[in-house]
């Protein structure tokens, strides 16, 4: 598979909580940042997006991200499992990943 071009302004956010999504949008606006934000709900959808599978097969609708913001706790495939899958794939591991969580233990 050919290496997709990186769009320097696309942030892929893996977050299942809509309130946390809105908080991120507000924070970026307040900081004067205007990246294109793409949201997926869990780790499995993240991998589908990066692998161009299912509803994310169209690169125009699912542009290659310059950065992934990854929540730790999500349904289906959680953050640690998704990060492990990304780091195991030579093509995917080149995308920087920032792990985030709003959970408190």
């Amino acid at each position: 598979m050919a290496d997709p071009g990186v769009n320097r302004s696309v942030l892929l956010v893996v977050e299942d909580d809509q309130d946390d999504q809105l908080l991120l949008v507000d924070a970026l606006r307040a900081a004067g940042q205007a990246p294109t934000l793409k949201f997926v709900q869990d780790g499995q959808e993240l991998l589908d997006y990066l692998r161009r599978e299912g509803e994310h097969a169209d690169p125009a609708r699912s542009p290659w991200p310059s950065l992934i913001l990854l929540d730790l706790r999500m349904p289906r495939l959680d953050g640690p499992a998704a990060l492990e899958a990304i780091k195991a794939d030579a093509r995917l591991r080149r995308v920087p990943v920032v792990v985030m969580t709003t959970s408190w233990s």
Side-chain angles (χ1 to χ4, degrees), residues 39-95:
F39 291 94
V40 295
Q41 301 298 308
D42 57 49
Q44 184 57 58
E45 190 178 0
L46 166 64
L47 295 177
D48 290 348
Y49 185 107
L50 294 173
R51 293 173 179 157
R52 302 276 194 245
E53 296 175 348
E55 68 181 84
H56 300 289
D58 180 2
R61 290 188 46 208
S62 301
W64 194 253
S66 56
L67 178 70
I68 298 168
L69 295 179
L70 177 64
D71 187 16
L72 283 178
R73 295 187 177 180
M74 296 172 293
R76 291 200 307 164
L77 188 64
D78 66 8
L83 184 59
E84 185 176 323
I86 288 170
K87 296 306 176 186
D89 185 311
R91 187 178 63 92
L92 302 182
R93 79 174 122 211
R94 290 184 285 181
V95 181

